[in-house]
Amino acid sequence: MTVETGVTAITALLAGTFSVLLAIAVLRRWDRGGAGWRGHGRANRLDTRLQPMVFLFRKHQLVDATAPARTLLSRITAPDNDWQRVLQWIGPRFPDLGARLDQIDRLGRIEAVGTIGSGSAMLRVVAEDLGDDLLRIAITDPEAENAGIVVDSMSQQAMEDELDLLRRALDQTPMLVWRQDEAERVTWANAAYLQRAEARGDGVLGWPLPRLLDTPRPVPGAGTSTRRAALENNGAVSWYDCHSHRMGDQTMMFALPADAAVRAERSLREFVQTLTKTFADLPTGLAIFDRQRHLQLFNPALIDLTGLPTGFLTARPTLFDLLDKLRELRMVPEPKDFRSWRQQMANLESAAATGHHSETWSLPGGQTYRVTGRPHPDGAVAFMFEDITREISSTRKFRAELLLGTHVLDGIEDALAVFAPNGQLIMQNRAYRELWGKAADTLADALAQWESRIDAGAGFVALRARLTQSDDQARDNGAMTGPDGGLLAWTVSRLGGGRQLLRFRRPEAMRDPALSVAETRTERARAVGAD
């Protein structure tokens, strides 16, 4: 390579490097100029958006405000006073500033930094007394590192729409929603809360907002907690179910109206109390078991009837534990063996669970109990214990008296039959059945039966007329041909309730008893002489 060739190469290299540097410089200049040309209007708007919020008040009347400040006031719909609007917005972010603003005449200047939290991190407010009753309040963000970032209009519109939707939803909800700090000061509230607070405060609200409800304290680590609280206003009490949710050093509170639930619970409680009083006065022992067959409800009569200890019943024993305890107290029928006893009690439980079931227990002590089982909703079952000893005794006595009366009627030689007013045969004795055979069920059938077995004459016609026709005659009698062809006397007597007593008597039974005794003695004397 010659010297001339080397010089040419170096010259070309230096020219190329210079061209690249010149092109880079031109591009940078073009980019800065173009950005300025293209974004001049946007830069102006950005500068407008980044200017601080400044309010100028004279005796709590707004004199002037920057554009962001006026935008803020326009988004706070209530209250109507601008000073109250500013305090409402500042209060949650600077809790102690409201009280310090009242001392601005003495302090001259107040500077405060907002608490760390969602939407209000590290905000700074400066309040200055300018004299002549002028107060300047400036709100800035000293850590706006990203203040130059511009959000595209579509994203901004979407965020604003979502924010507006959330605001409207919270303001239209009937439940009370508010936020409170660690000192339990209300730092934010929705429209429903503000309305209730205004109603209690006669329309005048200050900051911080009053706390309306005795709210639950959240348990650390539990997330949420719930309790019921009452709110009284002019003698009217409203109930709310309060839920709390921890959010950093703040607590979100939600109070749902619970008046309907409270009324329903009160009605249910009163109904249960009424049932409890009714059960307590019942002479029938009551025991209600749930679907797991644990005792849930019993009344004092159960203790009186069974002798079960109160402590045993309040411990909510199972059904089979209760039955085993009754077996120990000899308050169940004496079983032949334990296996048959368990099977009998299992059958009792299954029958009571599937439908109405009733048993009669004859106890070793001579008492008689009726045990009734009924199914209840959700698989529960109820058992009722009734002492029917007196009822059983009365029934047995009545049956014995009926049996005695039947024996007495059967011992009478006359054939007797009693007919109801509708002609139904109520009663007959053995002599009647021997005379006419199987008794007919009605008077008409009986007349047909009699007529078929005898030679119906004037006596039978008179008897039929007497039985089928209603008259006031208390007693009537006559005679007719009997089924054996002999003479048969009849007598019809009126009984109470329109019933009629019919009596048939053979002629030999109508003879004088004294003559019958004399004839009997004569026959006996003849028998002794013959011997």
Side-chain angles (χ1 to χ4, degrees), residues 53 55 57 68-93 139 164 167 171 188-189 194 207:
M53 289 188 294
F55 303 90
F57 287 95
R70 293 189 180 278
T71 302
L72 176 64
L73 290 176
S74 65
R75 293 189 177 183
I76 304 176
T77 57
D80 295 334
N81 185 279
D82 292 329
W83 174 256
Q84 293 294 334
R85 291 183 185 180
V86 173
L87 291 183
Q88 180 175 332
W89 188 88
I90 289 177
R93 295 160 178 81
I139 303 172
D164 182 67
R167 280 202 188 107
D171 287 341
W188 176 87
L194 295 176
W207 198 268

Side-chain angles (χ1 to χ4, degrees), residues 8-200:
T8 303
I10 292 173
T11 302
L13 179 61
L14 292 175
T17 302
F18 179 76
S19 300
V20 171
L21 293 176
L22 181 60
I24 292 175
V26 171
L27 288 176
R28 287 184 177 178
R29 178 63 179 174
W30 178 266
D31 182 66
R32 285 198 295 270
W37 303 330
R38 291 190 302 269
H40 179 69
R42 184 181 302 173
N44 292 337
R45 292 195 299 271
L46 181 59
D47 292 340
T48 302
R49 291 180 181 177
L50 294 178
Q51 61 180 320
M53 289 188 294
V54 180
F55 303 90
L56 188 62
F57 287 95
R58 174 179 281 121
K59 294 182 179 181
H60 295 175
Q61 295 293 327
L62 184 65
V63 177
D64 196 5
T66 60
R70 293 189 180 278
T71 302
L72 176 64
L73 290 176
S74 65
R75 293 189 177 183
I76 304 176
T77 57
D80 295 334
N81 185 279
D82 292 329
W83 174 256
Q84 293 294 334
R85 291 183 185 180
V86 173
L87 291 183
Q88 180 175 332
W89 188 88
I90 289 177
R93 295 160 178 81
F94 305 91
D96 299 328
L97 186 60
R100 296 174 63 187
L101 285 176
D102 295 336
Q103 305 175 10
I104 191 63
D105 295 339
R106 181 175 60 85
L107 298 176
R109 176 185 172 89
I110 300 174
E111 184 174 348
V113 178
T115 58
I116 297 176
S118 176
S120 61
M122 298 306 293
L123 290 179
R124 186 178 68 182
V125 63
V126 178
E128 297 177 291
D129 185 4
L130 303 180
D132 195 20
D133 294 327
L134 287 176
L135 174 64
R136 181 180 184 271
I137 300 176
I139 303 172
T140 59
D141 185 358
E143 295 187 0
E145 299 177 355
N146 300 321
I149 297 177
V150 180
V151 181
D152 66 273
S153 61
M154 297 300 292
S155 299
Q156 180 72 19
Q157 183 65 31
M159 288 188 292
E160 291 180 356
D161 290 344
E162 183 177 2
L163 180 60
D164 182 67
L165 175 62
L166 294 176
R167 280 202 188 107
R168 291 177 180 272
L170 286 176
D171 287 341
Q172 293 176 4
T173 180
M175 64 179 175
L176 309 182
V177 184
W178 71 99
R179 184 179 62 190
Q180 61 188 33
D181 58 13
E182 293 181 343
E184 295 188 351
R185 292 173 299 193
V186 179
T187 59
W188 176 87
N190 70 336
Y193 189 97
L194 295 176
Q195 290 174 3
R196 295 306 299 264
E198 289 176 355
R200 295 193 66 183

Side-chain angles (χ1 to χ4, degrees), residues 251-505:
T251 304
M252 286 300 300
M253 309 299 304
F254 305 89
L256 281 70
D259 293 332
V262 170
R263 287 193 297 269
E265 291 173 1
R266 185 182 296 113
S267 299
L268 178 61
R269 185 165 53 252
E270 293 174 354
F271 179 69
V272 171
Q273 291 176 355
T274 302
L275 287 181
T276 302
K277 293 179 181 179
T278 304
F279 292 158
D281 295 335
L282 284 177
T284 302
L286 179 66
I288 299 180
F289 298 85
D290 58 16
R291 64 187 312 167
Q292 284 79 30
R293 298 300 179 262
H294 287 278
L295 182 64
Q296 296 295 327
L297 180 64
F298 65 93
N299 64 342
L302 181 67
I303 302 175
D304 298 337
L305 291 175
T306 62
L308 290 170
T310 305
F312 172 77
L313 294 175
T314 55
R316 295 187 175 183
T318 64
L319 172 60
F320 289 102
D321 289 340
L322 186 142
L323 294 174
D324 289 339
K325 190 68 174 179
L326 290 177
R327 183 171 179 265
E328 295 177 5
L329 298 175
R330 296 176 60 84
M331 295 303 295
V332 295
E334 191 67 30
K336 296 181 180 179
D337 54 64
F338 185 75
R339 179 176 298 179
S340 63
W341 151 254
R342 294 295 293 183
Q343 183 62 40
Q344 181 182 357
M345 294 302 102
N347 295 338
L348 174 64
E349 187 271 339
S350 60
T354 56
H356 180 81
H357 179 72
S358 180
E359 288 186 0
T360 300
W361 288 1
S362 298
L363 305 183
Q367 297 170 303
T368 304
Y369 283 1
R370 179 188 294 120
V371 180
T372 305
R374 295 176 179 270
H376 275 235
D378 199 22
V381 64
F383 287 93
M384 290 172 285
F385 296 82
E386 300 177 75
D387 187 358
I388 58 172
T389 305
R390 182 175 300 177
E391 177 183 343
I392 293 297
S393 177
S394 300
T395 302
R396 290 173 179 172
K397 182 178 179 181
F398 181 70
R399 289 178 179 176
E401 291 178 354
L402 286 180
L403 184 61
L404 176 62
T406 301
H407 289 325
V408 171
L409 290 177
D410 289 341
I412 298 176
E413 295 181 356
D414 295 344
L416 302 177
V418 179
F419 295 94
N422 60 354
Q424 188 73 25
L425 179 63
I426 300 176
M427 159 188 320
Q428 78 281 347
N429 64 348
R430 182 186 303 168
Y432 180 89
R433 293 189 296 273
E434 292 176 352
L435 178 63
W436 299 108
K438 182 180 179 180
D441 295 333
T442 63
L443 177 59
D445 295 338
L447 290 172
Q449 180 186 27
W450 302 338
E451 188 175 8
S452 64
R453 299 190 57 186
I454 64 174
D455 184 12
F460 176 76
V461 173
L463 174 62
R464 180 169 57 189
R466 180 62 180 80
L467 291 174
T468 56
Q469 295 178 3
S470 58
D471 52 36
D472 297 333
Q473 189 174 358
R475 184 182 178 90
D476 194 6
N477 53 42
M480 67 179 189
T481 304
D484 55 357
L487 185 63
L488 185 64
W490 55 263
T491 302
V492 177
S493 303
R494 288 286 181 182
L495 303 179
R499 293 182 290 268
Q500 300 183 92
L501 170 63
L502 173 61
R503 176 193 298 236
F504 292 102
R505 177 180 297 182

